[in-house]
């Protein structure tokens, strides 16, 4: 793995050639000295070259993707659509080159003819379709809702900028003007808004379709291309701005070709075809979009006052702000839900840590903690209970019956004490009861109740199980002993009781 990855980092001849071509393009167009016709012909030849490079690299990426599963299949389908879009672009530009060679000084030669524009629209539709089909990472409903708000915020900001830079066509405001305006909006800013949506969906979807470098180059290209499409047509035919706009368009196409080549090399070298997005609690993208729209609003109001464009920008500012506020409200609700889940989990873990799983009684740890607290507060009494002949029950009836007996014992012990007393299962068939500062009569009453409750038989399922227990009691009146010594005294008393019963049974038998 390391060797092909190290080779992928070395200088690539095609990338070096593309970079050199872009540098030469900017130098050549920037220096001038060429006729307008020569610049137009050179521009379309350069566009064909870089778009052909993109097409070949995109096809190779689709061919070399070997990752299995839905993401791998979606990645291959996406790059195949990219390659098809590249073919469409190349064919459209070849057609355009034929028009340019016939009349390089026409307006259509500089800005593109109808067939070339149609090829651009079709290619962009294929690219957007490929991006939209790529799956997002697994999200919960709340995460998906917040992601949609973030996408809507960015799209509202992009729409605001698009409407601000767009120039409405001249002419009488009739049905033809409305149709022409709608077509212009759909073909240029509308189409690229859809492209922005697709890119933002990939960015915020938690699962990138590109390796990091290719993703950065593709995002830069999308932003640059959107800006170039918003430039009014007169600038493309003006001698002062036309060369720079040509160079910028070649740069945008060249960057996407370099991105495809980077993706191709990484995929062929064995890198992942998709870089999973890091799970983050928030994204800065919608906040940046809102800030950008408000900065635009301030600039427009300071320079132009409250005209129609200013109202458009203010409307966009308000929309993005409302969406960000909604995003914050959704985030606060999500945080509250997480806190509630945390509290529930904490309660469950506490229950598991301090209670017996079978009987739900307190376990040894909680009992010792309660005993220590009771001894610090005043007198306390501990009863230690051990079931007699519990192992024969397991042997004769099975462990399920033994578990049922333990559950019933726990229920009976709870019935012998008050709610503020502590009943615990210390382990196996050993139980303990803690009662705090009570009178001697109450203490003796609890002892009698325990003896009665743990004598006789218990029906567990379809069998009748005999029940008897040995009980030991220890009393601490002055708070001078520690919990272990008091529990040990109760343990000794319990074993003394058990021994007396055995002696009694032995003498009766004799």
């Amino acid at each position: 793995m390391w060797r092909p990855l190290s080779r992928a980092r070395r200088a690539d001849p095609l990338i070096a050639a593309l970079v050199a071509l872009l540098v030469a393009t900017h130098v050549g167009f920037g220096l001038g000295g060429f006729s307008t016709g020569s610049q137009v012909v050179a521009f379309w030849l350069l566009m064909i070259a870089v778009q052909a490079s993109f097409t070949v690299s995109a096809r190779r990426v689709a061919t070399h993707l070997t990752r299995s599963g839905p993401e791998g299949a979606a990645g291959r389908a996406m790059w195949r659509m990219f390659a098809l879009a590249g073919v469409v672009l190349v064919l459209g530009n070849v057609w355009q080159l034929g028009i340019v060679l016939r009349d390089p000084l026409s307006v259509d030669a500089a800005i593109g003819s109808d067939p070339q524009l149609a090829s651009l629209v079709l290619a962009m539709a294929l690219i957007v379709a490929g991006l939209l089909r790529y799956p997002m990472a697994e999200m919960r409903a709340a995460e998906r809702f917040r992601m949609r708000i973030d996408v809507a915020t960015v799209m509202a900001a992009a729409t605001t900028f698009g409407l601000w830079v767009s120039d409405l066509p001249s002419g009488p405001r009739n049905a033809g003007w409305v149709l022409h305006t709608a077509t212009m909006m759909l073909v240029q800013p509308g189409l690229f808004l859809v492209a922005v949506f697709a890119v933002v969906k990939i960015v915020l979807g938690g699962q990138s379709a590109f390796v990091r470098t290719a993703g950065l180059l593709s995002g830069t290209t999308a932003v640059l291309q959107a800006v170039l499409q918003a430039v009014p047509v007169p600038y493309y035919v003006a001698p002062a701005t036309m060369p720079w706009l040509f160079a910028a368009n070649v740069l945008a196409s060249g960057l996407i070709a370099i991105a495809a080549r980077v993706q191709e090399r990484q995929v062929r070298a064995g890198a992942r075809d998709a870089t999973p997005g890091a799970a983050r609690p928030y994204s800065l993208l919608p906040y940046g979009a809102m800030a950008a729209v408000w900065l635009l609003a301030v600039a427009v109001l300071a320079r132009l006052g409250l005209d129609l464009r200013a109202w458009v920008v203010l409307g966009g500012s308000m929309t993005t702000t409302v969406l960000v506020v909604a995003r914050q409200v959704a985030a606060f609700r999500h945080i509250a839900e997480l806190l509630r889940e945390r509290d529930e989990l904490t309660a469950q873990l506490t229950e598991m840590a301090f209670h017996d799983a079978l009987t739900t009684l307190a376990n040894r740890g909680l009992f010792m903690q309660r005993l220590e607290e009771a001894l610090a507060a005043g007198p306390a009494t501990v009863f230690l209970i051990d079931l007699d002949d519990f192992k024969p029950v397991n042997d004769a009836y099975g462990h399920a019956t033994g578990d049922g007996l333990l559950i019933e014992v726990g229920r009976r012990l709870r019935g012998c004490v008050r709610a503020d007393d502590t009943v615990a299962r210390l382990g196996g068939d050993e139980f303990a009861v803690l009662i705090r500062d009570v009178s001697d009569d109450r203490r003796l009453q609890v002892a009698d109740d325990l003896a009665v409750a743990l004598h006789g038989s218990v029906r567990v399922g379809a069998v009748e199980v005999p029940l008897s227990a040995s009980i030991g009691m220890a009393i601490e009146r002055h708070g001078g002993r520690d919990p272990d010594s008091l529990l040990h005294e109760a343990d000794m008393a319990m074993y003394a009781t058990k021994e007396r019963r055995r002696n009694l049974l032995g003498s009766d038998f004799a």
Side-chain angles (χ1 to χ4, degrees):
M1 173 66 75
W2 288 109
R3 289 180 180 176
L5 283 177
S6 63
R7 287 197 297 268
R9 295 190 186 98
R10 297 173 187 171
D12 177 66
L14 180 56
I15 294 178
L18 287 170
V19 171
L21 182 65
L22 295 179
V23 173
T25 298
H26 281 74
V27 172
F29 280 116
L31 291 177
F34 301 96
S35 65
T36 300
S38 299
Q39 293 182 28
V40 173
V41 172
F43 167 67
W44 292 109
L45 285 173
L46 290 168
M47 292 292 287
I48 292 172
V50 294
Q51 289 169 358
S53 174
F54 166 77
T55 303
V56 173
S57 294
R59 180 60 185 171
R60 288 176 177 172
V61 171
T63 302
H64 287 89
L65 281 179
T66 57
R67 190 176 178 193
S68 59
E71 296 173 15
R76 288 188 290 272
M78 182 185 72
W79 283 98
R80 289 192 189 103
M81 296 187 79
F82 288 178
L84 181 59
V87 171
V88 171
L89 287 173
V90 171
L91 292 177
N93 289 339
V94 169
W95 182 281
Q96 177 66 19
L97 184 61
I99 295 176
V100 169
L101 293 177
R102 287 197 300 270
D103 187 5
L105 299 181
S106 65
V107 175
D108 284 348
I111 66 172
S113 60
D114 289 341
Q116 191 275 333
L117 183 59
S119 70
L120 175 63
V121 172
L122 178 57
M124 287 301 304
L126 290 170
I127 291 174
V128 170
L131 289 170
L132 292 177
R133 288 183 58 187
Y134 196 81
M136 296 186 298
E138 291 294 329
M139 295 182 181
R140 294 188 295 180
E143 294 173 330
R144 191 177 296 274
F145 176 72
R146 293 195 302 274
M147 188 274 291
R148 288 172 177 169
I149 294 181
D150 289 345
V151 172
T153 304
V154 176
M155 292 305 301
T159 303
T160 302
F161 275 88
L163 292 175
W164 177 66
V165 300
S166 297
D167 283 326
L168 296 179
S170 59
R173 302 302 198 261
N174 51 26
W177 180 87
V178 172
L179 179 61
H180 179 59
T181 302
T183 303
M184 183 190 72
M185 291 293 181
L186 288 174
V187 169
Q188 291 185 352
L191 182 61
F192 279 95
L193 283 175
V194 177
V196 170
F197 169 76
V199 173
V200 171
K201 177 240 181 185
I202 290 290
V203 172
L204 298 179
Q207 185 165 275
S208 175
F210 311 94
V211 297
R212 182 178 299 275
T213 304
L216 291 174
L217 290 174
S218 300
T220 303
T221 301
V223 173
L224 179 58
Q225 195 65 266
V227 172
L228 291 173
Q229 288 296 315
V231 175
V233 172
Y235 288 97
Y236 275 92
V237 295
T241 54
M242 181 180 67
W244 295 107
L245 290 173
F246 281 171
N249 276 275
V250 174
L251 174 63
S253 297
L255 289 178
I256 198 66
I258 293 174
R261 179 61 175 176
V262 170
Q263 185 83 15
E264 175 197 348
R265 286 175 59 81
Q266 293 296 323
V267 170
R268 294 181 69 174
R272 288 172 59 89
D273 52 292
T275 303
R280 299 195 314 176
Y282 62 91
S283 170
L284 294 177
L285 191 58
Y287 301 98
M290 181 187 70
V293 175
W294 274 108
L295 288 174
L296 176 63
V298 171
V300 170
L301 289 174
R303 184 175 180 181
L304 302 176
L306 195 61
D307 60 358
L308 179 59
R309 287 181 180 272
W311 278 113
V312 170
V313 175
L314 286 175
S317 304
M318 296 174 186
T319 302
T320 55
T321 302
V322 169
L323 289 171
V324 168
V325 170
R327 171 67 166 82
Q328 290 301 107
V329 171
F332 291 149
R333 293 182 61 183
H334 179 60
I335 292 172
E337 180 68 17
L338 290 178
L339 292 175
R340 184 187 64 79
E341 293 177 358
R342 183 205 62 183
D343 293 340
E344 291 179 355
L345 180 60
T346 301
Q348 292 174 4
L349 293 176
T350 302
E351 181 75 17
M352 293 171 60
F354 292 104
H355 290 80
D356 177 59
L358 178 64
T359 63
T360 69
L361 298 175
N363 62 12
R364 179 180 289 272
L366 181 57
F367 182 82
M368 297 303 290
Q369 177 182 327
R370 297 273 180 86
L371 179 56
E372 184 176 2
E373 294 171 354
L375 292 177
T381 302
V382 171
F383 295 92
L384 196 63
I385 302 108
D386 185 77
L387 301 185
D388 298 328
D389 300 322
F390 179 71
K391 185 178 183 300
V393 172
N394 277 334
D395 295 339
Y397 304 107
H399 287 282
T401 301
D403 289 346
L405 178 60
L406 294 175
I407 293 172
E408 176 61 20
V409 168
R411 188 188 68 78
R412 293 189 179 191
L413 291 177
R414 283 197 189 98
C416 296
V417 298
R418 297 169 180 171
D420 57 346
D421 297 327
T422 300
V423 179
R425 181 189 176 200
L426 303 184
D429 60 343
E430 190 175 49
F431 295 82
V433 174
L434 168 65
I435 57 177
R436 304 196 182 196
D437 189 12
V438 295
S439 64
D440 291 339
D441 291 340
R442 166 65 180 154
R443 186 179 300 109
L444 293 176
Q445 181 63 50
V446 171
D448 291 340
D449 292 343
L450 292 175
V452 172
L454 301 178
H455 179 74
S457 62
V458 175
R459 175 165 289 278
V460 180
V463 299
E464 195 80 17
V465 180
L467 173 62
S468 66
S470 300
I471 304 173
M473 181 177 67
I475 305 171
E476 175 54 50
R477 301 181 186 275
H478 306 292
R481 281 180 294 178
D482 60 273
D484 289 329
S485 63
L486 186 63
L487 192 63
H488 178 70
E489 181 181 334
D491 189 45
M492 292 298 98
M494 181 269 296
Y495 274 109
T497 302
K498 190 181 291 286
E499 189 65 25
R500 286 195 299 270
R501 177 175 289 122
R502 286 174 182 169
N503 293 334
L504 180 62
L505 291 174
S507 62
D508 288 346
F509 181 77

